[in-house]
Amino acid sequence: MSSGIEINAYLRPDGRKGIRNILVVAYLVECAHHVAREIAFPFRKQNAHLIGFGGCYPNAYASRMMHQLCTHPNVGAVLLVSLGCESLDRDGLFKTIQDSGRPVHTLVIQQTGGTRKTINQGRQWVRSTLKTLGSTPRAPMKIAELIVGTVCGGSDAMSGFTANPAVGRAFDLLVGRGAAAIFEETNEMIGCEAALSRRGVTDALSRELAASVEKAARYHATLAHGSFAPGNAEGGLTTQEEKSMGSYSKGGRSPISGLIKPGDVPPRGGLYLLDVVPDGEVRFGFPNLSDVAEIGELIACGSHLILFATGRGAVVGAAVSPVIKVCGNPETYRRMRDDMDVNAGRIAEGSATLDDVGREIFDCVIRAAQGRPTASEALGHQEFTLVYKSFDPIGPACLPTTHS
Amino acid sequence: MTKESKNKTARTDRRLLLISPEDNVFVAVADIDAGETFLVNGAAVPVPIRIPLGHKVAARGIPAGEKVVKYGAAIGSATRDISAGDHVHTHNLKSDYLPTYARAGRKSYVQRH
């Protein structure tokens, strides 16, 4: 392991470098979902991935997510599938993708002549465009150019001392080599404000970090959800801040370089906190429908790869970017081995240290970036969820240009 | 990890994990039965009650009022003097953050200091 490791990346016309060469088929409203799925399905093992937004009414957040995902560095070409009467601005999205230099085509079901004709035309376009994508230029990519996100789900009593801090160790190694690393779940960091308020590279950023968690606490208070459950104490957790630190430990120990929101791409290497909790009054329900929605947000922030820490056993992957699963419970690992990439449960069994597993996760990131399929990729997982949310843009203190 | 803390780990029971070098509590990575004796930083400490996996054990003496540190961060304060090797849980540790959460309910979910 050295900083000299290089990745043979896919070079996009806009200069961004990807570690996968995905053709995205995107439905622009739920009414176009079936047609888009039928178009993509025969090509699902040839890097055709399905994403989309189901809503008929306009939403700035969902629109921005679609713009960012369709021009993600792992994406080489996009087919947009519109019904014809939905609100999402298909021409604006088309132009963004076209301006990025990626091949793009729009099929409007109502204009094309219905389901069958649109599926046939879509499959023809996908077939010919996949051939074009086969000759995408390659370029060397350094670890410092990688963006890696992390999420946790299905946590158990072991996650807080196995998978989560081991991911934190891997984040330390990545950030130390100049990569950008993104952690999130501000809504599971209630109690970490004091710790966060010392982590920013500037005092103004530190205040923003603490404020993002206070916002999450208010949001969840309105929803009357999110508290310290009796089962937590049985698992050995004593305080709210201790429970939150288990999730927080995925970020590792680097100073925090910025606070971003879904769709914001880290401008340089370093550790970033992604604020996933909507701004303003509670309007569309829970901040995120599931882990899959959070993964989609991390990918919209440019994540080439996702580290998923689990204890009880998550199985999902993602459209656009590979997901590496780090299992913190040795019994779960043995029971669901095909779904897991790294056995962090060895920490609980005493056969590995946090540093050992952190290095193993780091090595796994490099191999996946060099093209090796992750467990969820090999199993064909390509989950995607996008729902209504609302955000204000980040303030000037959130991305300091100079480090103190 | 510093050389000093590596030595500390070497003289502590393998079932006790120090997550961050500045922590003053270990995490039990296996169930430890009552009646056993374990090594805590070189000292043999009897285990009076069963310590289940995931629970905390003091790495050193923590006087009442001092912060309990795990993951390198304060997770609350000791409510009584804690000796090295003691089980650390709700009987001797309280949150600095949401001490009244259970009673206050949703309205004061965030306690302003």
Side-chain angles (χ1 to χ4, degrees), chain A residues 158 160-161 169 190-191 193 214 217-218 221 224 226-227 233-242 245-246 249 348 350, chain B residues 14 17 19 27-29 53-56 70-71 73-76 89-90 93-98 101 106 109-110 112:
Chain A
M158 293 191 201
F161 64 85
R169 294 292 200 273
I190 293 163
E193 294 91 324
E214 286 163 9
R218 285 194 300 276
S227 69
E234 286 160 27
L237 297 175
T238 311
T239 65
Q240 174 70 53
E241 53 265 52
E242 178 184 16
M245 284 302 301
S249 68
Chain B
R14 287 173 59 88
L17 172 75
I19 294 176
V27 181
V29 299
L53 178 147
H55 285 237
K56 296 174 290 299
K70 182 183 170 188
Y71 300 105
I75 59 162
H89 206 7
T90 48
L93 165 64
K94 70 167 177 59
S95 173
D96 296 329
Y97 183 75
L98 293 167
Y101 170 62
R106 65 176 91 163
Y109 197 66
V110 181
R112 294 269 180 184

Side-chain angles (χ1 to χ4, degrees), chain A residues 265-302:
Chain A
V265 178
R268 61 187 77 82
L271 178 64
Y272 294 82
L273 178 64
L274 171 61
D275 179 2
V276 299
V277 177
D279 293 306
E281 287 177 27
V282 176
R283 294 168 73 189
F284 302 116
F286 287 104
N288 268 326
L289 200 61
S290 66
D291 298 327
V292 174
E294 296 182 5
I295 290 171
E297 292 182 331
L298 287 164
I299 295 171
C301 293

Side-chain angles (χ1 to χ4, degrees), chain B residues 29-98:
Chain B
V29 299
D31 293 337
I32 300 168
D33 286 330
E36 284 195 45
T37 298
F38 53 34
L39 268 180
V40 176
N41 293 326
V45 178
V47 182
I49 60 154
R50 178 173 169 274
I51 296 174
L53 178 147
H55 285 237
K56 296 174 290 299
V57 171
R60 58 170 178 78
I62 306 170
E66 193 174 305
K67 302 289 184 199
V68 172
V69 179
K70 182 183 170 188
Y71 300 105
I75 59 162
S77 300
T79 54
R80 60 178 75 172
D81 291 344
I82 300 172
S83 304
D86 281 357
H87 183 216
V88 177
H89 206 7
T90 48
H91 61 289
N92 54 13
L93 165 64
K94 70 167 177 59
S95 173
D96 296 329
Y97 183 75
L98 293 167

Side-chain angles (χ1 to χ4, degrees), chain A residues 4 10 23 110 154 170 184 189 193 241 245-246 283 291 304 320 364 381:
Chain A
Y10 297 93
L23 185 153
Q110 290 166 349
E184 46 101 47
M189 291 179 197
E193 294 91 324
E241 53 265 52
M245 284 302 301
R283 294 168 73 189
D291 298 327
H304 294 95
V320 177
C364 194
H381 284 283

